[in-house]
Structure formats: C-alpha cells, structure tokens
Amino acid sequence: IMFDQASEQRVTLFGKTYIDDWFTYELPQFGLSVDELIGKYHLRVMASVIADKSLTPTRRWEGLQNYHGEIPRIGHKVIMDVDQLRKIQQYLESRRISDEAKKRKLLDTMIGNTRDVVLGVKDTLDFIVLSAMFNGGIVEFNEFNNPEGIRYTTDYLMPEANKIKAPTAWTDEALKNGTVDPVEEFLSVIQKFKNKVKFESILVSPTLRYKILRSKMLRLAVRGIDKAATPVRDDELNAELGRLGIPPVQEITKANDILKDGIRQEVTPINDDTAVFKPVGKLGIVQPAFEDNEIVEEDNVSYANMENGIRTAQWKVGESTGQVAGEYMQASTRALPIFQAINGIVNYKVNNL
C-alpha cells in the first residue's frame, strides 16, 4: 500500500486542530536553528538531552541547560503487521466485491493510517501551544508526558503582569455559597487590560466550565432569587457574559495517549485551575525546518509532503531486514510554534493559589 498522487491530494488536510485556527504556518527553511528563532522572536528554549541522531529513544537526564541546536523533531510511526496486510489482500482478491469497492477500501485504509500519524504530529504542536497558554507561557516535555523522547523546556516569556491569581480560591464551597463571583472576577480582568488588548474568548477546561455554571452568583444573575436553584445552561452563560461585555467562555478539550514502557497513558496540557483570556486574532506563527528525509531520500521508501512542513514516509520490512514482516508509516516535522501575541494572553489562576 504505497502513496500515489491521488492519495496525497486527499490527505492534504485531515481535520483542524487548535494550532490551525490560532497560528499561521511559515514556509520551511534549511538549517534553521533555535538560536535564529530566539534572536528573531521572544522565547527561550532549554533542553537536557537531545538525541537528534539517535535511532532509539534516550531517557537519560542530565539537568537543564540552555539549548542552542536544531529545532526539536516531532514524529512517530506505526506498523501494519502481516496479519492486517493479509486481510486486505483477501479483501482485494474476493470476486464478490466490486473493483470500485476494493479501490475505496484500499484508499480508506491507507488514508486512515496516514491520518493517524499526521494528526499525532499536529497533536504534539497543539500540546505545546495549549501548555504554554494554560501554564504561564512555559512548556515542558519530561519523563511523564514524553517518556520516549527528548527532555526540553520552552519559555515563551509571558509577562508576569499577565499571570493573575484570584483573590479567593474557587473551591466548590466558595462557589456554592457565593463567596466568589466568577462573572465579576472576569469583568475585573477585562477592565484591567481594556486599554491594552481586546479579548476574543476565555478558554477553560470542562471541569472549570462546569464549576462556573454551578456557581451561586451566576445563577442569581441569570435566574433571579426565585429560581436561583436551577442550574444555568451553556448558552445562557455566554449570553450573560455578552450582556456585560465579557467574551464567551470556550471549553477546551484536549487529551492524548502516550506510550510509556509499552503502556498507554493519557496526558493533557489543560490546567483545570486556570482560565485563559485569549486575544483577538492569530497568536503567532509555526516555523518549520526541512526534514532530513526531504534533503536525503532513501531507496525503497515512499515519501509525501502532507501539509505545513509535515512529511510522511512509508516502507516495508521483513526477512531482508531481519524483522517481522510489516509496513511502517511515519509522520514527522521539525517545527516550533512562536507566540507573537504572548503579551496579550492572560492567565487567571483560580485554584491552588
């Protein structure tokens, strides 16, 4: 199952991610280093172990230091083993299935594998962006969220003035008895930055959104005293905020599985304790560098450029390579999101103050 021109066109864009909506992609560049990005933009990148030339994951930890090398590589691969390939072959040889159905099945199988690896790469870029937005501009890849990859930290240098703590923790009890008023506190943040930035939305986790909807003060504002016991609906929340000149609350859901010692574990970049005030417009750019396999291609490997610097490779293994028979599909990119609007992003921390 190898690439052809028609299949490459079909997988140009599988589905939008947050980074697609909030960032603009630049064209790939040759030999682009982190130092060049640091000199041009406002960020700091640190790393402990960079295993760019290593064929196997490195887990060693040597302490954090400033990193000045190539842009870290994001990539992963999956294998379709011989049993899966045999099933497809049986399907193709069946006389009871039309040629058109066989062609569609073959293409859908290939597209599905390609989609999974490409979206896996884009999920990592989303992880970087959302981690920075929900955690004071800092993104850390460590043994917990990137167990088989490099360890590095990027600090996008969010201004300290943009990291605000609520005067009182938004505990369940405080929200229930009206000690804290989420709408009033959101309004105070808007007023503080009204001469500096216009906000487009307030990003929250599903957990924090639920807490806001259940808060006593919001129910009083929407329902009145007589019906304050009735929970507020999602659409009523944003209607009330809009009436007061507050941007809508946007629930952000992002969770992915990682493999740690062969076991799937879920990770999320979203912080339940923080509401993120996002400014209007694009947040920055994604600057990719050319992948190594675009400069030097290997024989017997099928390559395709998917979108925005993401490149796929597909190859077979078996007896000649001393491996179990199968077909690998890999997607990778060498890219780093750059926040050009970090000064307009505000973190409002409501718990674990």
Side-chain angles (χ1 to χ4, degrees):
I1 306 174
M2 304 303 282
F3 288 114
D4 59 25
Q5 192 64 34
S7 65
E8 185 172 336
Q9 290 174 359
R10 264 191 70 177
V11 297
T12 301
L13 185 64
F14 294 117
K16 283 209 168 186
T17 50
Y18 293 114
I19 198 163
D20 290 327
D21 287 336
W22 299 342
F23 282 72
T24 300
Y25 289 87
E26 298 288 288
L27 294 174
Q29 296 183 22
F30 284 102
L32 189 65
S33 70
V34 167
D35 272 349
E36 291 177 72
L37 293 180
I38 291 174
K40 188 174 181 181
Y41 301 107
H42 193 59
L43 76 159
R44 182 164 56 105
V45 179
M46 297 167 287
S48 57
V49 177
I50 302 298
D52 182 55
K53 303 302 180 186
S54 176
L55 297 178
T56 55
T58 178
R59 293 167 179 261
R60 203 154 44 94
W61 183 268
E62 296 180 343
L64 211 59
Q65 54 191 316
N66 285 343
Y67 171 52
H68 301 284
E70 292 180 325
I71 296 175
R73 183 171 181 262
I74 299 168
H76 69 147
K77 58 180 178 283
V78 297
I79 185 171
M80 181 181 292
D81 61 33
V82 69
D83 289 335
Q84 293 170 297
L85 292 170
R86 185 179 289 113
K87 288 180 181 178
I88 293 174
Q89 188 65 36
Q90 290 173 346
Y91 187 92
L92 295 177
E93 291 179 355
S94 173
R95 295 182 178 180
R96 303 180 63 181
I97 302 173
S98 70
D99 289 343
E100 182 61 30
K102 291 177 183 179
K103 181 180 178 181
R104 187 166 57 250
K105 174 66 174 179
L106 186 63
L107 193 56
D108 287 345
T109 299
M110 183 181 66
I111 295 299
N113 290 341
T114 309
R115 180 190 62 237
D116 290 344
V117 291
V118 170
L119 287 180
V121 170
K122 294 179 76 172
D123 279 338
T124 302
L125 293 173
D126 262 5
F127 190 97
I128 294 172
V129 167
L130 291 170
S131 290
M133 295 179 73
F134 276 87
N135 296 283
I138 296 175
V139 184
E140 182 178 356
F141 279 95
N142 52 39
E143 65 270 31
F144 301 109
N145 59 32
N146 196 33
E148 297 193 348
I150 62 174
R151 312 285 188 256
Y152 73 97
T153 298
T154 301
D155 186 350
Y156 288 102
L157 305 178
M158 180 183 289
E160 290 301 315
N162 292 30
K163 304 173 187 177
I164 305 172
K165 292 183 178 181
T168 304
W170 289 17
T171 62
D172 291 341
E173 183 62 28
L175 289 165
K176 182 179 179 180
N177 63 27
T179 303
V180 299
D181 183 348
V183 174
E184 185 63 33
E185 292 184 29
F186 285 165
L187 194 57
S188 70
V189 174
I190 300 294
Q191 290 299 312
K192 182 174 182 178
F193 288 87
K194 67 178 182 179
N195 294 325
K196 300 178 182 178
V197 60
K198 182 178 181 181
F199 295 112
E200 181 179 84
S201 56
I202 303 172
L203 314 181
V204 298
S205 70
T207 298
L208 186 53
R209 184 184 180 95
Y210 176 77
K211 287 186 174 184
I212 295 170
L213 288 169
R214 302 286 296 181
S215 66
K216 178 181 178 179
M217 298 307 289
L218 178 64
R219 285 186 280 116
L220 283 171
V222 175
R223 298 277 186 241
I225 297 175
D226 295 342
K227 299 181 180 179
T230 305
V232 176
R233 298 193 311 269
D234 284 349
D235 59 320
E236 293 174 321
L237 168 61
N238 285 335
E240 175 66 14
L241 295 179
R243 187 178 66 81
L244 298 171
I246 301 174
V249 167
Q250 180 182 355
E251 182 179 303
I252 301 295
T253 304
K254 192 73 177 180
N256 296 102
D257 286 343
I258 60 165
L259 284 178
K260 185 172 184 180
D261 299 323
I263 300 173
R264 286 184 177 273
Q265 299 182 16
E266 186 179 280
V267 295
T268 178
I270 310 302
N271 188 341
D272 288 337
D273 297 332
T274 302
V276 178
F277 287 73
K278 177 191 172 296
V280 171
K282 297 289 186 179
L283 298 179
I285 65 167
V286 179
Q287 179 59 72
F290 280 104
E291 264 286 65
D292 294 349
N293 62 21
E294 194 162 2
I295 300 171
V296 180
E297 293 189 350
E298 292 186 42
D299 295 334
N300 302 317
V301 179
S302 176
Y303 297 100
N305 293 317
M306 292 295 108
E307 55 174 328
N308 300 320
I310 298 176
R311 187 163 166 85
T312 57
Q314 195 174 17
W315 67 95
K316 293 183 176 71
V317 296
E319 292 180 353
S320 63
T321 59
Q323 296 171 275
V324 176
E327 188 172 276
Y328 277 98
M329 169 69 73
Q330 171 186 279
S332 58
T333 188
R334 203 178 282 279
L336 193 64
I338 306 295
F339 281 90
Q340 296 173 311
I342 194 69
N343 290 350
I345 299 172
V346 174
N347 274 190
Y348 191 68
K349 193 170 185 180
V350 300
N351 273 318
N352 290 316
L353 307 176

